[in-house]
Amino acid sequence: MAIHGDLVGTVPSRRLSKEELAKTHKVHLKKQDLSPDAPRPVKQPVMSEAYPASTRSIRDVEIIPLNRLRVETHHRGQGIIVKVISPPYIGAGAVSLVEDEFGNADKLAIYNQGDSSILSGVPEGCVVAVKEPYYKHNGAENDYMICVDHPSDVILLRFTDPIVPESLRLGPLLKTGDDWKKAGDTAFLEKDFPTAVFCYTESLEALEDDNLKPPIHTKRAGTNLILGRYDAAKADALASRTGNPSDWKAYYNAGRAAYGLCEYRTSKEHLEMALKLNASGSGVRKEYERCLARLREEEMGDYDFYAMFSLLNPQNVHLDVGSFLRRTAIADSKHHGKGLFATEDIKVGDIVFAEKACLMPNQYEPARASAALYAMMVRQLCDNPSLAQTVLKLYPGEVERTGAEGAIVDGVPVVDVFLVEGIRTKNCFSLPLSTLEDTKPSMREGRQAKGLWVHASHMNHSCVPNTMRSFLGDVLISRATRNISSGEEIFQQYVPVKPLADLRNQQYKEGWGFECACPLCDGERQSLESILEKRKEALVAVEKVCNKKLPSKGLIPDASIRAVDRLAKALEDLHEPEVYDNLPRLTLIYPSNWLVGAHRGRKNWSKVVRYGIKVLRNFGFKTPADESESWNPMDIYTESGNASLMTIHVVAALRRLAEAYEALGHKDMAKRSLEAAEFGYMLVTGFKNDLSGMDA
Ligand SMILES: C[S@@+](CC[C@H](N)C(=O)[O-])C[C@H]1O[C@@H](n2cnc3c(N)ncnc32)[C@H](O)[C@@H]1O
């Protein structure tokens, strides 16, 4: 039911009573009880109109009663404090009944709380504050609900907090620090870790003797480590020190927490302290060695890719490696905002950087990958303020910032879910389990996860980039596709490049809000409109004749080959030499590839050489004008200027050339072509691999 416009901004004349609310809530709870194992829907990151997260403390807003809430209104500068009076009904969010100090009742829907938060379950009896709440008409008559999208807009209040009105302050249910500690231990044993953290926190608050606190900090550190709340775990671990040799445990925990945050240098320092106090600790030494290995990878980038590949399986996609980033740095780009720049000369084929994912759920079902990444981002940013600081600085597209994102208010980082979603859409990458497997024809198509790499997120797009990215599990490998000079901007291709400039720019505009000004797009804009139109028509005609398929085993009739050849020539003539001299001719790749396949089928090897070379040329590589000239295919990587485009099709063409040269008796050329194909395959897959993988 659409809401009547007159109601917007008004206090409803009638709202459901506490009894009415309880009656329907009971029905929902009963349904939930009947199917307790039903999968909990993940809230899709498709949200209503964006609004900013509250950046105020609950202590700085006017607390209003529930019966002053206005319909479809963000109550800026106001807040509510309520007690939860029912168990939650868990759907896309957690819906509970709440009551204020005056006995007004309402429904409260809390979305986007991670499983690590006690508020994902909203325990009955707890008191919560909602800052700047939104009051939504729920569809049915007199039915309203307080909706909380931003996780930091709702705060779990301690029972003893002076801000809690007297009548809501039933507790504390437990009185002494020891009682709370025991409750924490029970929750821990029941694996209810968020509740354990809550109880240990209450215990620390209730204990008056500071000497009793270190063991509680140790317990909370351990629980936070399990929850992946590394910032809190680190702080707790350090707070658990007593000045005794037993502090090795505190340093050990702090080291593990820093490791979890990929702060290997800090981790090493803590682990060194732990070793000093407990030199015989084999567990500590093992952690220390692990940490040293990460630091070595960060410094040298010398990965054992084969070992990494062998460790990969659908259950293990997160590899334990450090990120090698020191050859690149973030700086202002003339293309857009920030970009990534080389800090030293980088040779073609070398690793530009290798980065372990900051956030990447193990979810390869395309329909679920985006929602899983969104949920993980929200949870981890709430749980780790230091991560929120880094991630929330990334480019979010059109979403507006308040400037207070990630700031700690009321003890939690401000996390704006609309900003998170903007950052996700503009910065995440889709990835297969490994690019190597993905290039195999037998590979099941479409299994792609989504993840976020903070360093890589600073790369701007070019249709003719100087790097290529590949994946091994959650590790992104970026290799140079041409020699890169120190200070040069590093580009990558956001998506496979469409042959027609206007179509691909439409895609960039819609997806990322920009028009590409790479040498190819800029060059292509110099072509006359009439020629561009004709090229488009010619491409359609070529595709029609080739029947959108490359020739497979059977022989292609002569007439078809002649027709494609004729159309390809016509298409070639539609590329002005003065514009395309050093540029790819992407519309020609398809027919030239097709002709390679067609002539290969007929074992017409000299034609395979001719069209194979054309494929390379059409990708923008420098090739001999006359195919009988002697040349070194490896030179394509170093002599081709700044507008070539590296893809798996280049590798395939080089393999065909090798085969054809071999058949023609040009052994040396065959060897060089193969070398160039192997080199290209390394660029594509991220590490040296046997070309036969392309046939598997
Ligand atoms: C992942 S971010 C890249 C880093 C970004 N420049 C920044 O300041 O953080 C993606 C955004 O960068 C911009 N961008 C990327 N490549 C571009 C290009 N070639 N020209 C103009 N803007 C570009 C677009 O706004 C795009 O949505």
Side-chain angles (χ1 to χ4, degrees):
M1 188 180 102
I3 179 154
H4 199 281
D6 293 353
L7 274 179
V8 174
T10 66
V11 173
S13 53
R14 180 168 140 59
R15 298 150 64 245
L16 294 179
S17 67
K18 186 168 162 182
E19 291 68 31
E20 287 168 315
L21 287 167
K23 208 168 142 192
T24 33
H25 195 70
K26 244 189 201 153
V27 176
H28 284 305
L29 288 177
K30 205 163 177 185
K31 266 196 228 152
Q32 182 168 271
D33 284 347
L34 288 176
S35 50
D37 299 328
R40 185 176 164 180
V42 178
K43 192 177 185 199
Q44 289 291 329
V46 177
M47 296 170 284
S48 52
E49 221 170 287
Y51 66 95
S54 177
T55 57
R56 297 177 184 227
S57 162
I58 188 65
R59 282 150 234 285
D60 297 336
V61 295
E62 178 200 2
I63 305 299
I64 58 168
L66 293 176
N67 61 3
R68 270 186 55 197
L69 288 172
R70 285 160 289 132
V71 181
E72 306 296 338
T73 302
H74 293 288
H75 294 76
R76 292 292 168 206
Q78 296 176 319
I80 55 169
I81 292 180
V82 289
K83 188 171 69 193
V84 178
I85 56 168
S86 76
Y89 163 67
I90 310 278
V95 182
S96 309
L97 299 186
V98 295
E99 190 173 38
D100 67 11
E101 63 175 308
F102 308 102
N104 301 303
D106 230 318
K107 267 188 288 195
L108 170 66
I110 302 181
Y111 300 103
N112 298 308
Q113 295 288 331
D115 294 344
S116 53
S117 159
I118 196 166
L119 286 174
S120 64
V122 207
E124 190 176 359
C126 72
V127 180
V128 296
V130 181
K131 300 188 276 186
E132 308 191 299
Y134 186 75
Y135 199 44
K136 188 174 156 38
H137 183 229
N138 224 8
E141 210 171 356
N142 308 321
D143 190 6
Y144 303 93
M145 182 156 85
I146 304 145
C147 287
V148 188
D149 285 306
H150 303 297
S152 49
D153 282 358
V154 55
I155 308 291
L156 177 68
L157 293 172
R158 299 199 34 252
F159 293 114
T160 49
D161 192 322
I163 201 172
V164 175
E166 206 54 49
S167 63
L168 298 185
R169 199 182 298 172
L170 279 183
L173 306 172
L174 302 172
K175 293 243 181 308
T176 70
D178 200 47
D179 287 344
W180 279 113
K181 185 194 86 152
K182 283 186 185 134
D185 291 346
T186 307
F188 186 90
L189 289 174
E190 287 169 356
K191 293 197 165 39
D192 182 356
F193 302 119
T195 301
V197 168
F198 176 78
C199 294
Y200 292 141
T201 306
E202 289 291 332
S203 172
L204 286 167
E205 290 293 331
L207 284 171
E208 278 166 14
D209 182 352
D210 281 349
N211 291 324
L212 298 175
K213 292 185 180 177
I216 316 291
H217 278 296
T218 304
K219 282 171 186 284
R220 201 171 63 176
T223 318
N224 277 323
L225 271 173
I226 293 173
L227 285 170
R229 299 171 49 144
Y230 297 116
D231 281 330
K234 195 165 59 167
D236 267 329
L238 294 175
S240 72
R241 287 175 297 182
T242 57
N244 295 314
S246 62
D247 276 354
W248 72 266
K249 184 86 202 261
Y251 287 113
Y252 175 60
N253 279 338
R256 285 168 66 208
Y259 193 100
L261 292 164
C262 300
E263 294 170 0
Y264 302 120
R265 214 158 285 282
T266 312
S267 176
K268 177 174 168 264
E269 282 164 18
H270 291 318
L271 293 170
E272 273 167 354
M273 285 301 288
L275 278 174
K276 241 189 221 166
L277 297 169
N278 177 17
S280 59
S282 66
V284 183
R285 182 147 298 279
K286 216 166 131 194
E287 276 307 298
Y288 183 64
E289 303 281 327
R290 203 155 77 104
C291 190
L292 291 185
R294 299 300 78 82
L295 284 168
R296 247 187 333 266
E297 284 148 2
E298 282 189 347
E299 178 54 28
M300 314 295 294
D302 55 351
Y303 299 94
D304 183 346
F305 290 115
Y306 301 102
M308 284 160 68
F309 182 72
S310 70
L311 285 172
L312 278 185
N313 65 56
Q315 278 73 48
N316 183 31
V317 300
H318 296 108
L319 295 171
D320 190 12
V321 295
S323 299
F324 173 65
L325 308 176
R326 63 166 179 77
R327 277 186 181 154
T328 49
I330 297 156
D332 291 339
S333 161
K334 70 174 185 187
H335 290 273
H336 175 270
K338 299 276 178 215
L340 206 59
F341 292 81
T343 54
E344 58 183 78
D345 291 349
I346 304 172
K347 275 209 326 268
V348 60
D350 281 358
I351 296 181
V352 177
F353 69 91
E355 186 179 10
K356 186 178 160 56
C358 169
L359 296 160
M360 196 209 111
N362 184 3
Q363 177 52 271
Y364 287 80
E365 284 304 327
R368 297 193 182 160
S370 295
L373 176 58
Y374 165 78
M376 184 186 231
M377 286 173 76
V378 174
R379 173 189 162 151
Q380 299 276 7
L381 301 189
C382 291
D383 283 353
N384 291 295
S386 64
L387 192 66
Q389 284 294 333
T390 320
V391 171
L392 292 175
K393 282 198 191 106
L394 294 177
Y395 179 68
E398 302 289 292
V399 185
E400 277 184 33
R401 295 177 176 278
T402 57
E405 298 81 24
I408 304 290
V409 181
D410 294 327
V412 296
V414 173
V415 173
D416 180 320
V417 290
F418 298 97
L419 187 64
V420 170
E421 179 56 359
I423 289 170
R424 186 193 70 77
T425 54
K426 293 289 176 279
N427 296 275
C428 78
F429 294 112
S430 294
L431 71 158
L433 186 59
S434 78
T435 305
L436 174 62
E437 288 296 315
D438 200 48
T439 54
K440 296 185 175 171
S442 58
M443 177 68 193
R444 189 175 146 202
E445 273 181 49
R447 300 262 311 154
Q448 298 264 318
K450 283 189 194 276
L452 188 78
W453 288 257
V454 170
H455 197 71
S457 287
H458 291 91
M459 267 196 286
N460 284 315
H461 164 94
S462 167
C463 302
V464 281
N466 47 10
T467 67
M468 215 175 167
R469 70 169 176 274
S470 54
F471 294 95
L472 255 186
D474 69 336
V475 178
L476 186 161
I477 305 160
S478 171
R479 286 202 184 257
T481 52
R482 61 181 79 110
N483 289 328
I484 298 172
S485 307
S486 177
E488 233 184 271
E489 180 161 2
I490 305 291
F491 294 100
Q492 62 170 337
Q493 165 186 302
Y494 282 6
V495 276
V497 173
K498 288 182 193 287
L500 294 165
D502 54 347
L503 290 188
R504 60 176 186 267
N505 272 288
Q506 192 183 331
Q507 187 182 19
Y508 306 149
K509 194 97 209 139
E510 284 165 12
W512 293 274
F514 74 95
E515 277 205 32
C516 187
C518 72
L520 178 61
C521 287
D522 268 356
E524 221 138 273
R525 285 187 193 105
Q526 290 170 32
S527 278
L528 289 175
E529 198 62 40
S530 56
I531 293 206
L532 288 173
E533 272 313 305
K534 280 191 191 149
R535 215 182 288 161
K536 217 178 261 183
E537 286 163 21
L539 182 64
V540 172
V542 168
E543 285 181 346
K544 210 163 153 192
V545 179
C546 300
N547 202 16
K548 303 207 168 184
K549 259 201 213 142
L550 279 178
S552 53
K553 286 197 179 108
L555 283 192
I556 306 292
D558 263 344
S560 301
I561 295 182
R562 274 201 304 276
V564 174
D565 206 9
R566 225 179 9 255
L567 284 166
K569 280 210 180 77
L571 194 49
E572 211 170 302
D573 290 343
L574 289 169
H575 289 80
E576 309 92 319
E578 63 280 14
V579 176
Y580 284 93
D581 200 18
N582 291 310
L583 290 181
R585 301 180 302 192
L586 298 182
T587 48
L588 273 162
I589 286 167
Y590 182 49
S592 45
N593 240 336
W594 189 93
L595 287 163
V596 169
H599 289 299
R600 181 172 179 253
R602 299 179 154 259
K603 298 195 179 353
N604 193 345
W605 300 115
S606 54
K607 290 273 175 68
V608 172
V609 168
R610 174 180 303 169
Y611 290 105
I613 289 176
K614 271 193 196 284
V615 172
L616 302 182
R617 189 269 163 260
N618 291 332
F619 273 111
F621 291 104
K622 192 162 174 354
T623 50
D626 175 354
E627 67 251 25
S628 62
E629 259 178 57
S630 160
W631 63 297
N632 186 354
M634 272 304 280
D635 289 348
I636 64 167
Y637 299 114
T638 48
E639 308 293 325
S640 295
N642 68 347
S644 54
L645 175 58
M646 184 61 204
T647 77
I648 187 79
H649 301 293
V650 173
V651 182
L654 285 162
R655 287 186 81 200
R656 296 292 169 246
L657 276 172
E659 187 188 18
Y661 279 130
E662 184 75 38
L664 291 167
H666 303 317
K667 298 253 180 265
D668 195 38
M669 286 306 295
K671 193 168 150 254
R672 289 179 193 176
S673 303
L674 214 53
E675 246 171 53
E678 275 164 0
F679 189 81
Y681 200 42
M682 177 188 73
L683 298 180
V684 173
T685 60
F687 59 118
K688 269 206 162 67
N689 278 291
D690 193 314
L691 283 169
S692 60
M694 288 177 75
D695 306 322

